């Protein structure tokens, strides 16, 4: 791999051990992937920071790294952790609070923002053709497919190395030659974010290569976000070009690619395969905010629940970015209705205290993880339908 003189000096330890180790990691991974050089990045998003997921080995790795006194050299954000930073939700367990506080302290001492969200694009909007090094599959899919930025789907340790070095390796989706769709699929008309989520799960499962979607023009921001998060969960999609949405020129469609369409009946059949029917259990958990809710989505939910109360046996959990610790009254109607807002976390990267017999969510990604990993009975439905079912005047 060709390195600049500065990068050679970084590698040789002239600027300290931390920078040397970080550069070595990037060079090694880059060489394995055939990269010809390193490139500077303007924003790193670190994933895999929850103690519930990385446990003692992850904590020990970070503690050891901290001894070399590393500093992040670029704008760096972090994914949700396993605790509710507002300490107000009874649904998110406080079990690993102390351990998580150490992890957060280490990352912040290196220079990360206390973002604790899977929507780093809300804190700093990526530019077209900008090189990033992001972890968190849903955010990576948004960066490439909605904003037209360039990032691979990186793992936790690699994002830390990129944040220290301010660079990543020039391979994969950083190269225009790797951003060509091999399939074009026409989506059926969709009505809401749950249907978009379902389509995302289907695309993730059925297509392993870059697949352009047509018929997405007119989708709301929430539909795009849920679609991409779901496709990145059930498949390994980091770029799903949406015709009319993804900035032109940031991807290509290969000549003579296979073109097909999905009809509504196919999706209905798939729904029966992956989702339970929408109904209340004796104990029901509603989960909304995967990926985290933005302020405008929170406002919409608040309006929907204005003057309503949750039915008996219903727990309602909403998750928002770590930067939303003060909501300025936006949470008033939600709290009045009995909704819990957890900040900087989510039930997939934490432990929950309730044992629901059914989980209702509008997120395909949440359905994927809560049913596959956590073995809950999960039903996918739109927020409007969920609110109608679980609350009353
Ligand atoms: Fe975010 Fe947790 Fe979903 S990290 S994308 S809310 S699984």
């Amino acid at each position: 791999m060709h390195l600049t003189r500065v990068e050679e000096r970084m590698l040789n330890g002239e600027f300290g051990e931390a920078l040397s180790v970080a550069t070595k990691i990037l060079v090694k991974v880059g060489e394995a992937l055939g990269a010809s050089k390193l490139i500077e990045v303007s924003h790193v998003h670190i994933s895999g920071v929850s103690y519930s997921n990385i446990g003692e080995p992850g904590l020990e790795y970070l503690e050891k790294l901290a001894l070399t006194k590393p500093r992040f050299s670029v704008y760096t954000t972090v994914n949700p952790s396993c605790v509710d930073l507002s300490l107000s939700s009874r649904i998110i367990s406080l079990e690993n609070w102390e351990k998580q506080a150490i992890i957060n302290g280490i990352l912040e001492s290196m220079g990360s923002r206390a973002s604790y969200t899977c929507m780093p694009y809300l804190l700093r909007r990526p530019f077209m053709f900008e090189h990033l090094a992001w972890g968190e599959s849903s955010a990576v899919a948004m960066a490439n497919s909605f904003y037209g930025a360039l990032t691979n789907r990186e793992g936790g340790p690699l994002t830390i190395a990129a944040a220290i070095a301010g660079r990543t390796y020039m391979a994969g989706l950083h190269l225009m030659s790797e951003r060509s769709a091999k399939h074009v699929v026409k989506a059926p008309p969709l009505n809401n974010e749950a249907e978009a989520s379902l389509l995302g799960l289907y695309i993730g499962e059925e297509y392993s290569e870059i697949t352009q979607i047509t018929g997405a023009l007119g989708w709301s921001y929430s539909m795009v976000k849920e679609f991409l998060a779901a496709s990145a969960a059930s498949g390994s999609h980091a770029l799903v070009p949406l015709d009319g949405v993804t900035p032109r020129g940031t991807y290509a469609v290969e000549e003579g690619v296979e073109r097909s369409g999905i009809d509504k009946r196919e999706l209905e059949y798939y729904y029966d395969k992956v989702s339970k029917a929408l109904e209340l259990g004796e104990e029901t958990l509603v989960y909304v905010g995967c990926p985290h809710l933005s302020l405008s989505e929170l406002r919409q939910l608040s309006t929907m629940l204005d003057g309503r109360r949750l039915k008996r046996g219903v727990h309602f959990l909403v998750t928002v970015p770590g930067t939303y610790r003060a909501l300025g009254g936006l949470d008033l109607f939600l709290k009045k209705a009995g909704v819990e807002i957890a900040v900087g976390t989510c039930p997939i990267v934490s432990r929950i205290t309730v044992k629901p017999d059914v989980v209702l969510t509008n997120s395909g990604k949440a359905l994927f993880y809560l049913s596959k990993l956590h073995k809950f009975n999960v039903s996918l439905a739109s927020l409007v339908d969920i609110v109608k079912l679980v609350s009353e005047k």
Side-chain angles (χ1 to χ4, degrees):
M1 181 187 289
H2 169 78
L3 296 181
T4 63
R5 281 174 66 181
V6 172
E7 287 162 354
E8 289 282 2
R9 293 172 68 193
M10 286 161 61
L11 191 81
N12 293 335
E14 282 185 47
F15 305 115
E17 189 190 342
L19 203 46
S20 170
V21 172
T23 312
K24 278 179 188 154
I25 292 173
L26 293 168
V27 168
K28 210 165 178 183
V29 174
E31 281 179 345
L33 295 172
S36 57
K37 61 177 185 174
L38 296 179
I39 35 162
E40 292 190 13
V41 291
S42 36
H43 180 173
V44 173
H45 182 68
I46 299 175
S47 60
V49 300
S50 161
Y51 181 79
S52 294
N53 294 354
I54 62 176
E56 276 308 296
L59 175 57
E60 277 166 24
Y61 172 79
L62 285 171
E63 282 179 324
K64 234 165 131 185
L65 182 68
L67 294 177
T68 63
K69 301 206 180 339
R71 289 288 306 166
F72 296 152
S73 60
V74 286
Y75 182 88
T76 301
T77 46
V78 271
N79 229 26
S81 77
C82 71
V83 293
D84 167 20
L85 297 172
S86 72
L87 298 177
S88 66
S89 162
R90 287 158 302 168
I91 297 173
I92 300 289
S93 165
L94 279 177
E95 205 179 312
N96 293 316
W97 168 250
E98 282 93 351
K99 303 277 190 180
Q100 188 64 58
I102 297 171
I103 292 173
N104 296 3
I106 291 173
L107 292 169
E108 286 177 37
S109 74
M110 292 181 194
S112 79
R113 313 276 151 158
S115 55
Y116 305 106
T117 185
C118 39
M119 300 206 302
Y121 41 87
L122 282 192
L123 306 181
R124 183 188 170 280
R125 191 185 162 93
F127 300 111
M128 274 170 71
F129 299 111
E130 183 181 38
H131 292 284
L132 312 169
W134 283 14
E136 173 46 42
S137 63
S138 66
V140 167
M142 277 294 279
N144 285 310
S145 320
F146 186 77
Y147 295 101
L150 319 175
T151 175
N152 288 314
R153 182 170 158 164
E154 304 294 6
L158 207 125
T159 52
I160 292 177
I164 296 169
R167 288 164 170 77
T168 190
Y169 52 88
M170 185 67 158
L173 292 175
H174 292 282
L175 300 166
M176 282 311 295
S177 57
E178 299 292 315
R179 298 175 69 93
S180 294
K182 309 277 189 297
H183 307 274
V184 175
V185 173
K186 185 169 176 7
L190 303 176
N191 299 313
N192 55 53
E193 78 289 1
E195 290 184 2
S197 254
L198 186 68
L199 179 67
L201 288 176
Y202 184 84
I203 294 291
E205 223 178 282
E206 293 292 316
Y207 297 87
S208 55
E209 296 167 306
I210 298 178
T211 301
Q212 188 204 31
I213 305 296
T214 62
L217 203 64
W219 285 7
S220 67
Y221 187 75
S222 303
M223 288 169 78
V224 171
K225 189 178 85 166
E226 292 298 347
F227 167 82
L228 292 172
S231 65
S234 65
S236 54
H237 291 275
L239 165 65
V240 189
L242 301 171
D243 186 33
V245 176
T246 307
R248 290 231 168 130
T250 60
Y251 72 97
V253 178
E254 278 189 7
E255 265 180 45
V257 292
E258 175 200 298
R259 290 175 186 265
S260 56
I262 296 172
D263 66 27
K264 263 265 159 86
R265 266 172 315 164
E266 232 171 311
L267 271 190
E268 280 161 15
Y269 177 74
Y270 181 67
Y271 179 86
D272 292 338
K273 198 177 125 195
V274 295
S275 169
K276 302 284 172 204
L278 178 64
E279 55 192 15
L280 286 176
E282 277 187 23
E283 198 168 355
T284 303
L285 172 65
V286 176
Y287 173 47
V288 176
C290 173
H292 281 167
L293 284 198
S294 66
L295 278 180
S296 60
E297 289 170 318
L298 204 59
R299 194 172 294 120
Q300 276 169 17
L301 178 61
S302 185
T303 310
M304 276 183 214
L305 280 160
D306 181 11
R308 301 180 74 89
R309 284 204 64 76
L310 298 182
K311 291 181 183 166
R312 247 178 107 85
V314 175
H315 308 277
F316 199 128
L317 177 69
V318 171
T319 53
V320 299
T323 44
Y324 290 4
R325 283 180 227 196
L327 286 166
L330 196 59
D331 50 350
L332 220 63
F333 294 146
L334 294 174
K335 287 194 170 153
K336 222 165 142 192
V339 171
E340 292 195 16
I341 301 175
V343 176
T345 186
C346 82
I348 288 98
V349 300
S350 64
R351 306 223 193 294
I352 57 172
T353 56
V354 290
K355 288 200 171 67
D357 35 21
V358 55
V359 180
L360 313 180
T361 183
N362 62 347
S363 160
K365 177 170 180 178
L367 173 137
F368 182 83
Y369 284 107
L370 291 174
S371 57
K372 287 225 151 93
L373 289 184
H374 300 259
K375 307 288 175 211
F376 287 115
N377 291 318
V378 188
S379 171
L380 182 67
S382 72
L383 198 47
V384 172
D385 289 341
I386 291 175
V387 166
K388 262 192 223 153
L389 178 72
V390 304
S391 67
E392 56 201 359
K393 285 250 180 203

